[in-house]
Amino acid sequence: MTAPDRSILKSLPMFAQLNDAELDKVAARAASRRLAPGSVVFGQGDAAEHFFVLVHGRLRVTQVTPQGEQIVVRMINPGDLFGLAKALRRSTYPGTSTAVVESLALSWPMTDWDAMVAHHPAFAASTIQTIGDRLQDAHSRIREMSTEVVERRVGHMVLRLAQQSGKREAEGIRIDFPISKQDLAEMTGTTLHTVSRILMAWEEAGLVDSGRQKLLVKDPHRLLLIADGLQPGLLG
Amino acid sequence: MTAPDRSILKSLPMFAQLNDAELDKVAARAASRRLAPGSVVFGQGDAAEHFFVLVHGRLRVTQVTPQGEQIVVRMINPGDLFGLAKALRRSTYPGTSTAVVESLALSWPMTDWDAMVAHHPAFAASTIQTIGDRLQDAHSRIREMSTEVVERRVGHMVLRLAQQSGKREAEGIRIDFPISKQDLAEMTGTTLHTVSRILMAWEEAGLVDSGRQKLLVKDPHRLLLIADGLQPGLLG
DNA sequence: CCGTGTCCTTGCGCTGGCGCAAAGACGGCG
DNA sequence: CGCCGTCTTTGCGCCAGCGCAAGGACACGG
């Protein structure tokens, strides 16, 4: 919970254009926070008292419905703004943020929000872009859930994860954080069982390699064909 | 396509705080456009050369998938900003906007976008709020599509429409623009047939009154119970 | 090295809601 | 006023994927 170094801020796009004096001022208001895997940054329904930037690591944002079912809203990657409840005109966080690996986040009091937006156009622009990106992502998911069968939805989600958080390896693209079948199910609106069946079928066909919380995409090209419906699915 | 009056701008929240000189400057850059029902403001994939505010009327935003299936992304209500491709960092519009009733929109060249965001904090804030609202809406839809059976999804959508575009009448709340079963199906990720069956069941139970492109919610309270799963559905 | 908890696989039966098909009803236009 | 196009209703068969249930495997801590 100490004030962060100026250089960490400088490496973040929304602050890149600030001069040193401005950076120090912004840094002075910030707190940095180490997050062990599994630790919760904020919970759904908590009073939204801070907004955040993820410096490194990976977070998972989830929501639970009144009926107790959980969905994964998104993954947070390094450099991302999150906890922007103010931008959504909400006084509480709409979801729960949990670290999935060792992570580091910076936080500012939400009371600084309006001043940040007003005084730093790059911050305002960054917020608009962040929310804009999420909106596009959300629309893609809606379109997929409306029009695609489960196998294609899972295909698109895996490819999206590979793109956002993939690490090139000899064998293919590795999702570089632990992800369970249950997580994938909660991202695509299906069940753990169906995801397992799909990934097993893909594995037999040599498209992916999946184990306990591990996922390696071996043949992104062929997977894309299936996801786009240009090639028949492998289930059945 | 004439320049709009200053007073029209003044009535829009994102410009309410501007003084007369600023209003005139903003108005000088704008064009106003009458839209007959069925006319297209911009099409999916068109170069995003303008952004808009709807003054009055109602628009429907749709997307078609590569496979040719269509979904309804949202309805645009008076006072809404739309065509914000720049905020999504896109050079083309991601969807098609069609007037469903006689409407009036103002437009600005997209080249004015950055200046508007930079010079008018209220405009930037308004954009953030607009996109933030859409994001929340999108997440609601994702959550609903992930966890709810069709009847409840349709219930939530009908109630949302009633809230956003409902007009109190003696019998109940009327959706005050023409909406087809097909539209509802494309908003909830189901088929025209299923929507028809659901509405017929609701009609028999006295919850709604639905006809050709007409929808009247007679018992919002009981409909909410069904939508929230607190009362069993009426299908089957 | 063993125990325990978590995550994953797999089989089976059931059903919500889709897809197809056809007929009916409303409303606008000539 | 009658025609025609669009929107809607309704029946029926089918199957993707869910729900349940049971067994297996990997990882970690003691």
Side-chain angles (χ1 to χ4, degrees), chain A residues 63-65 67 69-71 73-74 87-90 113 117-118 121 124 127-129 131-136 138-139 141-143 145-148 152 186 188-189 228-230, chain B residues 63-65 67 69-71 73-74 87-90 113 117-118 121 124 127-129 131-136 138-139 141-143 145-148 152 186 188-189 228-229:
Chain A
Q63 281 183 2
V64 293
T65 66
Q67 281 77 35
E69 291 146 310
Q70 181 171 281
I71 66 163
V73 176
R74 83 178 64 87
L88 307 174
R89 286 187 291 190
R90 297 194 48 141
W113 175 264
V117 171
T127 302
I128 292 177
Q129 284 187 359
I131 304 184
D133 286 350
R134 290 186 195 171
L135 185 60
Q136 283 196 86
H139 278 158
R141 285 175 71 177
I142 291 173
R143 188 170 3 87
M145 295 188 70
S146 296
T147 63
E148 297 175 2
R152 291 181 52 196
E186 289 174 3
T188 51
D228 282 350
L230 303 174
Chain B
Q63 282 183 2
V64 294
T65 66
Q67 281 77 34
E69 290 145 311
Q70 181 171 281
I71 66 163
V73 175
R74 82 177 65 85
L88 307 174
R89 288 187 289 191
R90 297 194 48 139
W113 176 264
V117 171
T127 302
I128 292 176
Q129 285 188 358
I131 304 183
D133 287 349
R134 290 186 194 170
L135 185 59
Q136 283 197 84
H139 278 158
R141 284 176 72 178
I142 290 173
R143 186 168 8 87
M145 295 187 71
S146 296
T147 64
E148 297 176 2
R152 292 180 52 196
E186 289 174 3
T188 51
D228 282 350

Coordinates of all heavy atoms in Angstrom, one line a residue, chain A residues 63-65 67 69-71 73-74 87-90 113 117-118 121 124 127-129 131-136 138-139 141-143 145-148 152 186 188-189 228-230, chain B residues 63-65 67 69-71 73-74 87-90 113 117-118 121 124 127-129 131-136 138-139 141-143 145-148 152 186 188-189 228-229:
Chain A
Q63 N -19.3 -12.2 -12.0 CA -20.6 -11.7 -11.4 C -21.3 -12.9 -11.0 O -21.3 -14.0 -11.6 CB -21.4 -11.0 -12.4 CG -21.0 -9.5 -12.7 CD -21.9 -8.8 -13.6 OE1 -22.9 -9.4 -14.1 NE2 -21.6 -7.6 -13.9
V64 N -22.1 -12.8 -9.9 CA -23.0 -13.9 -9.5 C -24.4 -13.3 -9.6 O -24.7 -12.2 -9.3 CB -22.8 -14.5 -8.1 CG1 -21.5 -15.2 -8.0 CG2 -22.9 -13.4 -7.1
T65 N -25.3 -14.2 -10.2 CA -26.7 -13.7 -10.4 C -27.4 -14.0 -9.0 O -26.9 -14.7 -8.2 CB -27.4 -14.6 -11.4 OG1 -27.5 -15.9 -11.0 CG2 -26.6 -14.6 -12.7
Q67 N -29.7 -15.8 -8.5 CA -29.9 -17.3 -8.4 C -28.7 -18.0 -8.0 O -28.7 -19.2 -7.8 CB -30.5 -17.8 -9.7 CG -32.0 -17.6 -9.9 CD -32.2 -16.1 -10.4 OE1 -31.4 -15.6 -11.1 NE2 -33.3 -15.5 -9.9
E69 N -25.9 -18.3 -9.8 CA -25.0 -18.8 -10.9 C -23.9 -17.7 -11.2 O -24.2 -16.5 -11.0 CB -25.8 -19.0 -12.2 CG -26.7 -20.2 -12.1 CD -28.0 -20.0 -12.8 OE1 -28.7 -18.9 -12.6 OE2 -28.4 -20.9 -13.6
Q70 N -22.8 -18.2 -11.5 CA -21.6 -17.3 -11.7 C -21.3 -17.2 -13.2 O -21.4 -18.1 -13.9 CB -20.4 -17.7 -10.9 CG -19.2 -16.8 -11.1 CD -18.1 -17.2 -10.1 OE1 -18.1 -16.9 -9.0 NE2 -17.1 -17.9 -10.7
I71 N -20.9 -16.0 -13.6 CA -20.3 -15.8 -15.0 C -19.0 -15.1 -14.9 O -18.8 -14.3 -14.0 CB -21.3 -15.1 -16.0 CG1 -21.5 -13.6 -15.6 CG2 -22.6 -15.8 -16.1 CD1 -22.1 -12.8 -16.7
V73 N -17.0 -12.2 -16.4 CA -17.2 -11.1 -17.2 C -16.1 -10.8 -18.2 O -16.3 -10.5 -19.4 CB -17.5 -9.8 -16.4 CG1 -17.7 -8.6 -17.2 CG2 -18.7 -10.1 -15.5
R74 N -14.9 -10.8 -17.6 CA -13.7 -10.6 -18.5 C -12.4 -10.9 -17.7 O -12.4 -11.1 -16.5 CB -13.6 -9.2 -19.0 CG -13.0 -8.2 -18.0 CD -12.9 -6.8 -18.5 NE -14.2 -6.3 -18.8 CZ -15.0 -5.6 -17.9 NH1 -14.5 -5.4 -16.7 NH2 -16.2 -5.2 -18.2
A87 N -17.5 5.5 -14.0 CA -17.8 5.7 -15.4 C -19.2 5.1 -15.7 O -19.9 5.5 -16.7 CB -16.8 5.1 -16.3
L88 N -19.6 4.1 -15.0 CA -20.9 3.4 -15.2 C -21.9 4.1 -14.3 O -23.0 3.6 -14.2 CB -20.7 1.9 -14.9 CG -19.6 1.2 -15.6 CD1 -19.5 -0.2 -15.1 CD2 -19.8 1.2 -17.1
R89 N -21.6 5.1 -13.6 CA -22.5 5.8 -12.7 C -23.0 4.9 -11.7 O -24.2 4.9 -11.3 CB -23.7 6.4 -13.5 CG -23.3 7.7 -14.3 CD -24.4 8.3 -14.9 NE -25.0 7.5 -16.0 CZ -26.0 8.0 -16.8 NH1 -26.4 9.2 -16.7 NH2 -26.4 7.2 -17.8
R90 N -22.2 4.1 -11.1 CA -22.6 3.2 -10.1 C -21.8 3.5 -8.8 O -20.6 3.8 -8.9 CB -22.3 1.7 -10.5 CG -23.1 1.3 -11.7 CD -23.0 -0.2 -11.8 NE -23.3 -0.8 -10.6 CZ -24.1 -1.9 -10.4 NH1 -24.6 -2.4 -11.5 NH2 -24.3 -2.5 -9.3
W113 N -11.6 10.8 -9.3 CA -12.0 10.4 -10.6 C -12.4 11.6 -11.5 O -11.8 11.8 -12.6 CB -13.2 9.5 -10.6 CG -13.8 9.1 -11.9 CD1 -14.8 9.7 -12.6 CD2 -13.2 8.2 -12.8 NE1 -15.0 9.2 -13.8 CE2 -14.0 8.2 -14.0 CE3 -12.2 7.2 -12.8 CZ2 -13.8 7.4 -15.1 CZ3 -12.0 6.4 -13.9 CH2 -12.8 6.5 -15.0
V117 N -10.4 12.9 -15.0 CA -11.1 13.0 -16.3 C -11.0 14.4 -16.8 O -10.7 14.6 -18.0 CB -12.5 12.5 -16.3 CG1 -13.2 12.8 -17.6 CG2 -12.6 11.0 -16.0
A118 N -11.2 15.4 -15.9 CA -11.3 16.8 -16.4 C -9.9 17.3 -16.7 O -9.7 18.1 -17.7 CB -11.9 17.6 -15.3
P121 N -6.8 14.9 -20.4 CA -7.5 14.4 -21.6 C -7.1 13.0 -22.0 O -7.9 12.2 -22.4 CB -7.2 15.5 -22.7 CG -6.8 16.7 -21.9 CD -6.2 16.2 -20.6
A124 N -9.0 10.7 -19.9 CA -10.4 10.6 -20.4 C -10.5 9.7 -21.7 O -11.3 8.8 -21.8 CB -11.0 12.0 -20.7
T127 N -10.0 6.1 -20.9 CA -11.2 5.6 -20.3 C -12.2 5.2 -21.4 O -12.8 4.1 -21.4 CB -11.8 6.5 -19.3 OG1 -10.9 6.9 -18.3 CG2 -13.1 5.9 -18.7
I128 N -12.4 6.2 -22.3 CA -13.3 6.0 -23.4 C -12.9 4.7 -24.2 O -13.7 3.9 -24.5 CB -13.4 7.2 -24.3 CG1 -14.1 8.3 -23.5 CG2 -14.2 6.9 -25.6 CD1 -14.2 9.6 -24.3
Q129 N -11.6 4.6 -24.4 CA -11.1 3.5 -25.2 C -11.3 2.2 -24.5 O -11.7 1.2 -25.0 CB -9.6 3.7 -25.6 CG -9.5 4.7 -26.7 CD -8.0 4.8 -27.2 OE1 -7.2 4.1 -26.6 NE2 -7.8 5.7 -28.2
I131 N -13.5 1.4 -22.1 CA -14.9 1.0 -22.1 C -15.4 0.7 -23.5 O -16.2 -0.2 -23.7 CB -15.7 2.2 -21.5 CG1 -15.2 2.5 -20.1 CG2 -17.2 1.7 -21.3 CD1 -16.0 3.5 -19.4
G132 N -14.9 1.4 -24.5 CA -15.2 1.1 -25.9 C -14.8 -0.3 -26.3 O -15.5 -1.0 -26.9
D133 N -13.5 -0.7 -25.9 CA -13.1 -2.0 -26.2 C -13.9 -3.1 -25.5 O -14.3 -4.1 -26.1 CB -11.6 -2.2 -25.7 CG -10.6 -1.4 -26.5 OD1 -11.0 -1.0 -27.6 OD2 -9.5 -1.3 -26.1
R134 N -14.3 -2.8 -24.3 CA -15.1 -3.8 -23.5 C -16.5 -3.9 -24.2 O -17.0 -5.0 -24.3 CB -15.3 -3.3 -22.1 CG -14.0 -3.4 -21.3 CD -14.4 -3.1 -19.9 NE -13.2 -2.9 -19.1 CZ -13.2 -2.4 -17.8 NH1 -14.3 -2.1 -17.2 NH2 -12.0 -2.2 -17.2
L135 N -17.0 -2.8 -24.7 CA -18.3 -2.8 -25.3 C -18.2 -3.6 -26.6 O -19.1 -4.4 -26.8 CB -18.7 -1.4 -25.6 CG -20.1 -1.2 -26.2 CD1 -21.2 -1.8 -25.2 CD2 -20.4 0.2 -26.5
Q136 N -17.2 -3.4 -27.4 CA -17.1 -4.3 -28.6 C -17.0 -5.7 -28.2 O -17.6 -6.6 -28.9 CB -15.8 -3.8 -29.3 CG -16.0 -2.6 -30.1 CD -14.9 -2.4 -31.1 OE1 -15.0 -2.9 -32.2 NE2 -13.8 -1.8 -30.7
A138 N -18.1 -7.2 -25.6 CA -19.4 -7.6 -25.1 C -20.4 -7.9 -26.3 O -21.1 -8.9 -26.3 CB -20.0 -6.6 -24.1
H139 N -20.3 -7.0 -27.3 CA -21.2 -7.2 -28.4 C -20.8 -8.4 -29.2 O -21.7 -9.2 -29.7 CB -21.2 -6.0 -29.3 CG -22.1 -4.9 -28.9 ND1 -21.9 -3.6 -29.2 CD2 -23.1 -4.9 -28.0 CE1 -22.8 -2.8 -28.6 NE2 -23.6 -3.6 -27.9
R141 N -19.6 -11.1 -27.9 CA -20.1 -12.2 -27.1 C -21.6 -12.4 -27.3 O -22.2 -13.5 -27.5 CB -19.8 -12.1 -25.6 CG -18.4 -12.4 -25.3 CD -18.0 -12.1 -23.9 NE -18.6 -13.0 -22.9 CZ -18.3 -13.0 -21.6 NH1 -17.6 -12.1 -21.1 NH2 -18.9 -13.9 -20.8
I142 N -22.4 -11.2 -27.3 CA -23.8 -11.3 -27.5 C -24.1 -11.9 -28.9 O -25.0 -12.8 -29.0 CB -24.4 -9.9 -27.4 CG1 -24.4 -9.4 -25.9 CG2 -25.9 -9.9 -27.9 CD1 -24.8 -8.0 -25.7
R143 N -23.4 -11.4 -29.9 CA -23.6 -11.9 -31.3 C -23.4 -13.4 -31.3 O -24.2 -14.2 -31.9 CB -22.7 -11.1 -32.3 CG -23.1 -11.5 -33.7 CD -22.4 -10.5 -34.7 NE -21.5 -9.6 -34.1 CZ -20.2 -9.8 -33.9 NH1 -19.7 -11.0 -34.1 NH2 -19.4 -8.8 -33.4
M145 N -23.4 -15.6 -28.8 CA -24.4 -16.3 -28.0 C -25.7 -16.4 -28.7 O -26.5 -17.3 -28.5 CB -24.5 -15.8 -26.6 CG -23.3 -15.9 -25.8 SD -23.5 -15.4 -24.1 CE -24.5 -16.8 -23.5
S146 N -26.0 -15.4 -29.5 CA -27.3 -15.3 -30.2 C -27.3 -16.3 -31.4 O -28.4 -16.8 -31.8 CB -27.6 -13.9 -30.7 OG -27.8 -13.1 -29.6
T147 N -26.2 -16.4 -32.1 CA -26.2 -17.0 -33.4 C -25.4 -18.3 -33.6 O -25.5 -19.0 -34.6 CB -25.8 -16.0 -34.5 OG1 -24.4 -15.7 -34.2 CG2 -26.6 -14.8 -34.5
E148 N -24.5 -18.6 -32.6 CA -23.6 -19.7 -32.8 C -23.9 -20.8 -31.8 O -24.2 -20.6 -30.7 CB -22.1 -19.2 -32.6 CG -21.7 -18.2 -33.6 CD -20.3 -17.6 -33.4 OE1 -19.7 -18.1 -32.4 OE2 -19.9 -16.7 -34.1
R152 N -18.6 -23.5 -31.6 CA -18.1 -22.3 -32.2 C -17.8 -21.2 -31.2 O -16.8 -20.4 -31.2 CB -19.0 -21.8 -33.3 CG -19.1 -22.7 -34.5 CD -20.0 -22.2 -35.6 NE -19.6 -20.9 -35.9 CZ -20.4 -20.1 -36.6 NH1 -21.6 -20.5 -37.0 NH2 -20.0 -18.9 -36.9
E186 N -18.1 -20.6 -18.0 CA -18.7 -19.4 -17.5 C -18.5 -18.2 -18.4 O -19.1 -17.1 -18.3 CB -18.3 -19.1 -16.1 CG -18.8 -20.0 -15.1 CD -18.2 -19.8 -13.7 OE1 -17.5 -18.9 -13.5 OE2 -18.6 -20.7 -12.8
T188 N -18.6 -18.6 -21.8 CA -19.3 -18.9 -23.1 C -20.8 -19.3 -22.9 O -21.4 -19.6 -23.9 CB -18.6 -20.0 -23.8 OG1 -18.4 -21.1 -22.9 CG2 -17.2 -19.6 -24.3
G189 N -21.2 -19.3 -21.6 CA -22.6 -19.6 -21.4 C -22.9 -21.0 -21.6 O -23.9 -21.4 -22.2
D228 N -15.5 -20.1 -37.1 CA -16.2 -19.3 -38.1 C -17.2 -20.1 -38.8 O -17.9 -19.6 -39.7 CB -15.2 -18.6 -39.0 CG -14.6 -17.4 -38.4 OD1 -15.0 -17.0 -37.3 OD2 -13.6 -16.9 -39.0
G229 N -17.3 -21.4 -38.5 CA -18.3 -22.2 -39.2 C -18.0 -22.6 -40.6 O -18.8 -23.1 -41.3
L230 N -16.7 -22.4 -40.9 CA -16.3 -22.8 -42.3 C -15.9 -24.3 -42.4 O -15.7 -24.8 -43.5 CB -15.1 -21.9 -42.7 CG -15.4 -20.4 -42.7 CD1 -14.1 -19.6 -43.0 CD2 -16.5 -20.0 -43.7
Chain B
Q63 N -26.9 -5.7 -36.5 CA -25.7 -6.2 -37.1 C -26.0 -7.5 -37.8 O -26.9 -8.2 -37.3 CB -24.6 -6.6 -36.0 CG -23.9 -5.4 -35.4 CD -22.8 -5.8 -34.4 OE1 -22.6 -7.0 -34.2 NE2 -22.1 -4.9 -33.9
V64 N -25.4 -7.7 -38.9 CA -25.6 -9.0 -39.6 C -24.2 -9.7 -39.5 O -23.2 -9.2 -39.6 CB -26.0 -8.9 -41.1 CG1 -27.4 -8.3 -41.2 CG2 -25.0 -8.1 -41.9
T65 N -24.3 -11.0 -39.2 CA -23.1 -11.9 -39.1 C -22.7 -12.3 -40.5 O -23.5 -12.2 -41.4 CB -23.4 -13.1 -38.3 OG1 -24.3 -13.9 -39.0 CG2 -24.0 -12.8 -36.9
Q67 N -22.6 -15.1 -41.6 CA -23.5 -16.1 -42.0 C -24.8 -15.6 -42.4 O -25.7 -16.3 -42.8 CB -23.7 -17.2 -40.9 CG -22.5 -18.2 -40.7 CD -21.3 -17.5 -40.0 OE1 -21.5 -16.7 -39.1 NE2 -20.1 -17.9 -40.4
E69 N -27.0 -14.0 -40.4 CA -28.0 -13.8 -39.4 C -28.0 -12.4 -38.8 O -26.9 -11.9 -38.7 CB -27.8 -14.9 -38.3 CG -28.1 -16.3 -38.7 CD -27.2 -17.3 -38.0 OE1 -25.9 -17.0 -38.1 OE2 -27.7 -18.3 -37.5
Q70 N -29.1 -11.9 -38.5 CA -29.2 -10.5 -38.0 C -29.5 -10.5 -36.5 O -30.2 -11.3 -36.0 CB -30.3 -9.8 -38.7 CG -30.4 -8.3 -38.3 CD -31.3 -7.5 -39.2 OE1 -30.9 -7.1 -40.3 NE2 -32.5 -7.3 -38.7
I71 N -28.8 -9.6 -35.8 CA -29.2 -9.3 -34.4 C -29.5 -7.8 -34.2 O -28.9 -7.0 -34.9 CB -28.2 -9.8 -33.3 CG1 -26.9 -8.9 -33.5 CG2 -27.8 -11.2 -33.5 CD1 -26.0 -9.0 -32.3
V73 N -28.9 -4.8 -32.0 CA -27.9 -4.4 -30.9 C -28.6 -3.6 -29.9 O -28.4 -3.8 -28.7 CB -26.7 -3.7 -31.6 CG1 -25.7 -3.2 -30.5 CG2 -26.0 -4.6 -32.6
R74 N -29.3 -2.6 -30.3 CA -30.0 -1.7 -29.3 C -31.0 -0.8 -30.0 O -31.0 -0.7 -31.3 CB -29.0 -0.8 -28.6 CG -28.5 0.4 -29.3 CD -27.6 1.2 -28.4 NE -26.4 0.5 -28.2 CZ -25.4 0.5 -29.0 NH1 -25.4 1.2 -30.1 NH2 -24.3 -0.2 -28.8
A87 N -14.9 6.4 -30.8 CA -14.7 6.0 -29.4 C -14.3 4.5 -29.4 O -13.6 4.1 -28.4 CB -15.9 6.3 -28.6
L88 N -14.7 3.7 -30.3 CA -14.4 2.3 -30.4 C -13.2 2.1 -31.2 O -12.8 0.9 -31.5 CB -15.6 1.5 -31.0 CG -17.0 1.8 -30.3 CD1 -18.1 1.0 -31.1 CD2 -16.9 1.3 -28.9
R89 N -12.5 3.2 -31.6 CA -11.3 3.1 -32.4 C -11.6 2.3 -33.7 O -10.8 1.5 -34.2 CB -10.2 2.4 -31.7 CG -9.6 3.3 -30.6 CD -8.4 2.8 -30.0 NE -8.7 1.6 -29.1 CZ -7.8 1.0 -28.3 NH1 -6.6 1.5 -28.2 NH2 -8.2 0.0 -27.6
R90 N -12.7 2.6 -34.3 CA -13.0 1.9 -35.6 C -13.2 3.0 -36.6 O -13.7 4.0 -36.4 CB -14.3 1.1 -35.4 CG -14.3 0.0 -34.4 CD -15.4 -0.9 -34.6 NE -15.6 -1.3 -36.0 CZ -15.9 -2.5 -36.4 NH1 -16.1 -3.5 -35.5 NH2 -16.1 -2.8 -37.7
W113 N -14.3 15.1 -33.8 CA -14.5 14.3 -32.6 C -13.4 14.6 -31.5 O -13.8 14.9 -30.4 CB -14.4 12.8 -33.0 CG -14.4 11.9 -31.8 CD1 -13.4 11.4 -31.1 CD2 -15.6 11.5 -31.0 NE1 -13.8 10.6 -30.0 CE2 -15.1 10.7 -30.0 CE3 -17.0 11.7 -31.2 CZ2 -16.0 10.1 -29.0 CZ3 -17.8 11.1 -30.3 CH2 -17.4 10.3 -29.2
V117 N -14.1 16.1 -27.7 CA -13.7 15.5 -26.5 C -12.7 16.3 -25.7 O -12.9 16.5 -24.4 CB -13.1 14.1 -26.8 CG1 -12.5 13.5 -25.5 CG2 -14.2 13.1 -27.4
A118 N -11.8 16.9 -26.4 CA -10.7 17.7 -25.7 C -11.2 19.0 -25.1 O -10.9 19.4 -24.0 CB -9.6 17.9 -26.6
P121 N -15.4 19.1 -21.7 CA -15.4 18.0 -20.7 C -16.8 17.4 -20.6 O -16.9 16.1 -20.4 CB -15.0 18.7 -19.4 CG -14.2 19.9 -19.8 CD -14.9 20.3 -21.1
A124 N -17.1 14.8 -23.2 CA -16.3 13.6 -22.9 C -17.1 12.8 -21.9 O -17.2 11.6 -22.0 CB -14.9 14.0 -22.4
T127 N -20.0 11.1 -23.3 CA -19.6 9.9 -24.1 C -19.3 8.7 -23.2 O -19.7 7.6 -23.4 CB -18.3 10.2 -24.9 OG1 -18.6 11.4 -25.8 CG2 -17.9 9.1 -25.8
I128 N -18.5 9.0 -22.1 CA -18.2 7.9 -21.2 C -19.5 7.3 -20.6 O -19.6 6.1 -20.5 CB -17.3 8.5 -20.1 CG1 -15.9 8.8 -20.6 CG2 -17.1 7.4 -18.9 CD1 -14.9 9.4 -19.6
Q129 N -20.4 8.2 -20.3 CA -21.7 7.7 -19.7 C -22.5 6.9 -20.7 O -23.0 5.8 -20.4 CB -22.5 8.9 -19.2 CG -21.9 9.4 -17.8 CD -22.9 10.4 -17.2 OE1 -23.9 10.8 -17.8 NE2 -22.5 10.9 -16.1
I131 N -21.4 5.2 -23.3 CA -20.8 3.9 -23.6 C -20.9 3.1 -22.3 O -21.1 1.9 -22.4 CB -19.3 4.1 -24.0 CG1 -19.3 5.0 -25.3 CG2 -18.7 2.8 -24.4 CD1 -17.9 5.2 -25.8
G132 N -20.7 3.7 -21.2 CA -20.9 3.0 -19.9 C -22.2 2.4 -19.8 O -22.4 1.2 -19.4
D133 N -23.3 3.1 -20.1 CA -24.6 2.6 -20.0 C -24.8 1.4 -21.0 O -25.4 0.4 -20.6 CB -25.6 3.7 -20.4 CG -25.8 4.7 -19.3 OD1 -25.3 4.5 -18.2 OD2 -26.4 5.8 -19.6
R134 N -24.2 1.6 -22.2 CA -24.4 0.5 -23.1 C -23.6 -0.8 -22.7 O -24.1 -1.9 -22.9 CB -23.8 0.9 -24.5 CG -24.6 1.9 -25.2 CD -24.0 2.2 -26.5 NE -24.5 3.4 -27.1 CZ -24.1 3.9 -28.2 NH1 -23.0 3.4 -28.8 NH2 -24.6 5.0 -28.7
L135 N -22.5 -0.5 -22.0 CA -21.7 -1.7 -21.5 C -22.5 -2.4 -20.4 O -22.5 -3.6 -20.4 CB -20.4 -1.2 -21.0 CG -19.4 -2.3 -20.5 CD1 -19.1 -3.2 -21.7 CD2 -18.1 -1.6 -19.9
Q136 N -23.1 -1.7 -19.6 CA -23.9 -2.3 -18.5 C -25.1 -3.1 -19.1 O -25.4 -4.2 -18.7 CB -24.5 -1.3 -17.6 CG -23.5 -0.7 -16.6 CD -24.2 0.0 -15.5 OE1 -24.6 -0.6 -14.5 NE2 -24.3 1.3 -15.6
A138 N -25.1 -4.3 -22.1 CA -24.6 -5.5 -22.8 C -24.3 -6.6 -21.8 O -24.5 -7.8 -22.0 CB -23.3 -5.1 -23.6
H139 N -23.7 -6.2 -20.6 CA -23.4 -7.3 -19.6 C -24.7 -7.9 -19.1 O -24.7 -9.1 -18.8 CB -22.6 -6.6 -18.5 CG -21.2 -6.5 -18.8 ND1 -20.3 -5.7 -18.2 CD2 -20.4 -7.2 -19.7 CE1 -19.1 -5.8 -18.7 NE2 -19.1 -6.7 -19.6
R141 N -27.3 -8.4 -20.8 CA -27.8 -9.3 -21.8 C -26.9 -10.6 -21.8 O -27.5 -11.7 -21.9 CB -27.7 -8.7 -23.2 CG -28.9 -7.7 -23.4 CD -28.8 -7.0 -24.7 NE -29.1 -7.8 -25.9 CZ -29.1 -7.4 -27.2 NH1 -28.8 -6.1 -27.4 NH2 -29.3 -8.2 -28.1
I142 N -25.6 -10.4 -21.6 CA -24.7 -11.6 -21.6 C -25.1 -12.5 -20.4 O -25.2 -13.7 -20.5 CB -23.3 -11.2 -21.5 CG1 -22.8 -10.5 -22.8 CG2 -22.4 -12.3 -21.1 CD1 -21.4 -9.9 -22.8
R143 N -25.3 -11.8 -19.2 CA -25.6 -12.6 -18.0 C -27.0 -13.3 -18.2 O -27.1 -14.5 -17.9 CB -25.7 -11.6 -16.8 CG -25.9 -12.4 -15.5 CD -25.8 -11.5 -14.3 NE -25.6 -10.1 -14.6 CZ -26.6 -9.2 -14.7 NH1 -27.8 -9.6 -14.6 NH2 -26.3 -7.9 -15.0
M145 N -28.3 -14.2 -21.1 CA -28.2 -15.3 -22.1 C -27.4 -16.5 -21.6 O -27.7 -17.6 -22.0 CB -27.6 -14.8 -23.4 CG -28.4 -13.7 -24.1 SD -27.7 -13.2 -25.7 CE -28.1 -14.7 -26.6
S146 N -26.6 -16.2 -20.6 CA -25.8 -17.3 -20.1 C -26.6 -18.1 -19.1 O -26.3 -19.3 -18.9 CB -24.5 -16.7 -19.3 OG -23.7 -16.1 -20.2
T147 N -27.5 -17.5 -18.4 CA -28.0 -18.2 -17.2 C -29.5 -18.4 -17.2 O -30.1 -19.1 -16.4 CB -27.7 -17.4 -15.9 OG1 -28.3 -16.1 -15.9 CG2 -26.2 -17.2 -15.8
E148 N -30.2 -17.7 -18.1 CA -31.7 -17.7 -18.1 C -32.3 -18.5 -19.2 O -31.8 -18.4 -20.4 CB -32.2 -16.3 -18.0 CG -31.8 -15.5 -16.8 CD -32.3 -14.1 -16.8 OE1 -33.0 -13.7 -17.7 OE2 -32.0 -13.4 -15.8
R152 N -37.6 -16.1 -19.6 CA -37.2 -15.1 -18.7 C -36.4 -14.0 -19.4 O -36.5 -12.8 -19.1 CB -36.3 -15.7 -17.6 CG -37.1 -16.6 -16.6 CD -36.2 -17.2 -15.5 NE -35.5 -16.2 -14.9 CZ -34.4 -16.4 -14.1 NH1 -34.0 -17.6 -13.9 NH2 -33.8 -15.4 -13.5
E186 N -34.6 -11.2 -32.2 CA -33.2 -10.8 -32.5 C -32.5 -10.1 -31.3 O -31.3 -9.9 -31.3 CB -33.1 -10.0 -33.7 CG -33.4 -10.8 -35.0 CD -33.5 -10.0 -36.3 OE1 -33.3 -8.8 -36.2 OE2 -33.8 -10.6 -37.3
T188 N -33.1 -11.1 -28.1 CA -33.0 -12.0 -27.0 C -32.3 -13.4 -27.4 O -32.2 -14.2 -26.6 CB -34.4 -12.4 -26.4 OG1 -35.2 -12.8 -27.5 CG2 -35.0 -11.2 -25.7
G189 N -31.9 -13.4 -28.6 CA -31.2 -14.7 -29.1 C -32.1 -15.9 -29.1 O -31.7 -17.0 -28.7
D228 N -37.7 -12.7 -13.2 CA -36.7 -13.0 -12.2 C -36.7 -14.4 -11.7 O -36.0 -14.8 -10.8 CB -36.9 -12.0 -11.0 CG -36.4 -10.6 -11.3 OD1 -35.7 -10.5 -12.3 OD2 -36.6 -9.7 -10.5
G229 N -37.6 -15.2 -12.3 CA -37.6 -16.6 -11.9 C -38.3 -16.9 -10.6 O -38.1 -18.0 -10.0

